[in-house]
Amino acid sequence: MEEEFAVTKNESTRVGFLLPLGYWVGGRNYLKNLFAAIRMLPGNPIVPVIFTGKRQGNNTEDFPGVEVIRTSMLDRRSPTAILRKGILKASGHDILLQKSLQKHGVSVLSHCIHPVYLGMRQRIKIIGWIADFQHVHLPELFTLEDRNHRDLEFKQICAQSDKIILSSACAYEDLRAFAPEHIDTAELLRFVASPTPLQGAASLPELQRLYTFTGPYFLLPNQFWAHKNHRVVISALQRLKSNREPLLVLAAGSPTDYRNSSFFSDLMKYALECDVLDCFRVLGQIPFDHLFGLMQHATAFINPSRFEGWSTSVEEAKSLGKQIVLSDIPVHREQAPPGGFFFPAEDPDALAKAMKAAHDRYDGVRDSALRTAAAAHFPTRQREFGETYLRIVEDTLGRKANEL
C-alpha cells in the first residue's frame, strides 16, 4: 500500500481525522474551526492529522499547516480500497486503516461520521460524531431507505466509538432518546466559528459591481436544501414588497439538494410567482473572499432553517458581532446570538417584521463597535472550545491534562 506522508516528531497526542471524497461543506468548515481552536492551546498538546485519498485533488487546502497523509485506500474503487473493503468484510476489522493510523503515531481517530471497525483490542481510540438527528425531526425530507440507513449507521457509530461528540444540548437529548444505552459516552462540544478575516475580503464596491446590486442587503448564506427554509424568506419578501418596503436578500450557497433534485428550480418558480426575483438574488457558491466581504457589509444575516445541529451562520454572526434574523427553533435559542431577531419558522409575516426591525436598527457606527466587541470576546470563546475538545481527548485516552 503506497502512502505519502511527513511525520512531525513531538510529544503531543496525534489525533487523526478522515476526510473522504465529497465531505460536505459544513463539515469542512467545522474542522477548520476546530483546528484553529487546537492551534491556540498552550503547549501544543494535540496535533491533528488528516487522512485523505491521493486522487482527491486540493481537498485539504482549507487546512493550512495541518499534517496530511494521502493514501490510496481512501480513493474510491482503487485497488487498495477494494482490498481494504474485502479484508474488513472477511475479518470484521478495518486492518489496513488501523495499521496506517498506528504507523503514523495516531492515538485517537476523531469525528468519525461513519462507523469505524478497529477491533475490540484496538490501541487506537475512536471518537464518533453525530452532527444532528434531522431525519428524526423532519422524516418527510428523507426516504424510508435513507431514514433506516441513518438509524443503522448512527447505532453502529455509537457501538464502535469510545466517545460520541454532539454539537448541542438538543442533539444530546436526541441521542438520549435514540440510543439511551450509549448516553454515558456522549460529550457536548459546541463549536465556535472563527471571525472572517478583514484582510483579503472583497470590498463593497467590488461586490456591488460583480453581483450587480446596490444599497443595504441581508445575507442568507445557507445551502439550498429543503430544511433550510428559503421559501419563507421569499414569502416575507413578497409581503414587504406589497407594503412598499422592499428589502434585498443575497442568497449564497450550493443550489444542489441530493434528496430533492427539483427543489431549487421549484423554489425559483415560487420566487417568480411572488414577483421577488429583484429582491431575492441567488449568488450560488461564491469564493470565500467574496463571502467574507458580504458578511462584513450585510445589514444582518438570515437563518430561517427548520432544523440545525449547531448553526455555522449563527456562530459566524456571533463572532462578527452581526445582527441575525433567525428561526425560533430550540438550537438557535441555545446558541443565543446577542444580535438575534427571532421569528416562528413557518411565519412569513413575523419574518417580514423581524427583517424590518433589523433594517431599522442597523447603524454603521454601531455595527463597527459590535464587531470590535465580538473580536475582543472571541479568544475566550475559542479557548473554551479548544479546552473542551482537549478534555474530551484526555478522557477518551484515560489521561489527565498534564499527561498529554
Side-chain angles (χ1 to χ4, degrees):
M1 178 178 60
E2 298 180 46
E3 292 186 343
E4 298 172 2
F5 62 95
V7 176
T8 303
K9 298 292 185 181
N10 53 47
E11 298 303 320
S12 305
T13 296
R14 294 168 62 80
V15 178
F17 297 82
L18 300 179
L19 193 66
L21 183 67
Y23 202 76
W24 87 108
V25 173
R28 296 172 68 85
N29 288 337
Y30 178 102
L31 290 182
K32 185 161 57 173
N33 290 314
L34 177 60
F35 296 159
I38 288 172
R39 281 196 298 272
M40 299 308 295
L41 292 171
N44 195 34
I46 293 174
V47 173
V49 185
I50 292 175
F51 288 76
T52 192
K54 288 186 175 183
R55 301 198 303 238
Q56 294 179 27
N58 296 323
N59 66 334
T60 59
E61 61 185 6
D62 292 338
F63 312 109
V66 176
E67 184 178 331
V68 177
I69 310 297
R70 293 193 177 273
T71 170
S72 58
M73 81 166 81
L74 296 177
D75 288 319
R76 289 179 183 173
R77 291 186 288 275
S78 71
T80 311
I82 294 171
L83 176 62
R84 175 193 173 202
K85 185 176 181 180
I87 294 174
L88 173 59
K89 186 175 181 179
S91 68
H93 298 160
D94 199 339
I95 294 173
L96 292 189
L97 177 60
Q98 181 171 343
K99 286 183 176 296
S100 182
L101 295 172
Q102 291 173 337
K103 176 181 178 180
H104 297 291
V106 169
S107 302
V108 179
L109 185 62
S110 189
H111 284 74
C112 299
I113 61 173
H114 302 293
V116 177
Y117 303 91
L118 298 184
M120 295 299 293
R121 296 183 178 181
Q122 63 193 28
R123 291 187 294 168
I124 298 165
K125 300 294 184 179
I126 298 174
I127 300 176
W129 180 33
I130 298 178
D132 62 56
F133 288 84
Q134 184 189 150
H135 74 293
V136 174
H137 290 271
L138 301 176
E140 69 274 14
L141 299 183
F142 298 81
T143 65
L144 177 60
E145 182 181 2
D146 283 341
R147 295 198 302 272
N148 289 339
H149 174 76
R150 284 199 172 204
D151 281 346
L152 177 60
E153 188 160 73
F154 286 5
K155 293 278 190 181
Q156 290 173 334
I157 290 172
C158 292
Q160 297 299 321
S161 300
D162 298 280
K163 293 284 185 181
I164 307 158
I165 283 178
L166 291 313
S167 296
S168 68
C170 296
Y172 189 96
E173 292 306 316
D174 284 341
L175 179 66
R176 187 191 302 278
F178 179 80
E181 68 275 19
H182 295 292
I183 195 63
D184 289 344
T185 63
E187 296 284 353
L188 181 56
L189 180 65
R190 298 181 175 99
F191 76 83
V192 174
S194 299
T196 57
L198 292 172
Q199 189 174 12
S203 68
L204 182 57
E206 180 184 4
L207 293 166
Q208 290 174 329
R209 178 183 60 82
L210 286 169
Y211 299 110
T212 61
F213 70 92
T214 58
Y217 63 91
F218 289 76
L219 180 64
L220 203 176
N222 287 357
Q223 310 295 342
F224 285 86
W225 297 338
H227 74 281
K228 295 297 186 180
N229 203 23
H230 293 75
R231 190 180 182 93
V232 74
V233 177
I234 293 172
S235 299
L237 290 173
Q238 182 187 39
R239 285 154 174 76
L240 288 163
K241 189 174 182 178
S242 67
N243 291 336
R244 302 193 180 193
E245 297 176 315
L247 294 174
L248 175 64
V249 171
L250 302 180
S254 171
T256 303
D257 186 343
Y258 76 94
R259 293 170 298 186
N260 185 348
S261 60
S262 66
F263 173 75
F264 180 73
S265 60
D266 290 345
L267 183 73
M268 297 312 294
K269 287 177 185 175
Y270 181 64
L272 178 63
E273 293 168 3
C274 292
D275 189 28
V276 295
L277 290 178
D278 57 332
C279 304
F280 185 74
R281 298 284 306 282
V282 175
L283 309 184
Q285 197 92 40
I286 63 176
F288 279 119
D289 59 328
H290 294 186
L291 182 60
F292 295 163
L294 290 171
M295 286 179 170
Q296 289 164 21
H297 299 292
T299 295
F301 294 1
I302 302 178
N303 187 338
S305 187
R306 295 173 60 200
F307 187 85
E308 293 283 350
W310 188 256
S311 171
T312 301
S313 63
V314 173
E315 288 303 304
E316 288 169 337
K318 289 162 66 174
S319 295
L320 284 171
K322 299 295 292 189
Q323 299 185 125
I324 183 166
V325 179
L326 69 170
S327 52
D328 195 356
I329 58 176
V331 74
H332 283 169
R333 286 290 182 178
E334 184 180 343
Q335 289 185 265
F341 295 80
F342 289 90
F343 70 95
E346 305 297 343
D347 189 341
D349 292 308
L351 172 54
K353 290 177 183 177
M355 291 175 65
K356 184 67 166 54
H359 174 268
D360 292 346
R361 188 180 181 186
Y362 180 80
D363 173 80
V365 175
R366 179 176 176 273
D367 183 69
S368 180
L370 290 172
R371 182 186 303 142
T372 299
H377 184 49
F378 173 73
T380 299
R381 296 173 58 232
Q382 186 184 54
R383 183 177 66 249
E384 290 173 352
F385 177 31
E387 288 176 348
T388 301
Y389 180 66
L390 174 60
R391 194 263 308 157
I392 292 171
V393 172
E394 293 167 357
D395 289 351
T396 304
L397 291 170
R399 301 178 186 174
K400 297 180 180 179
N402 58 11
E403 294 180 307
L404 281 185

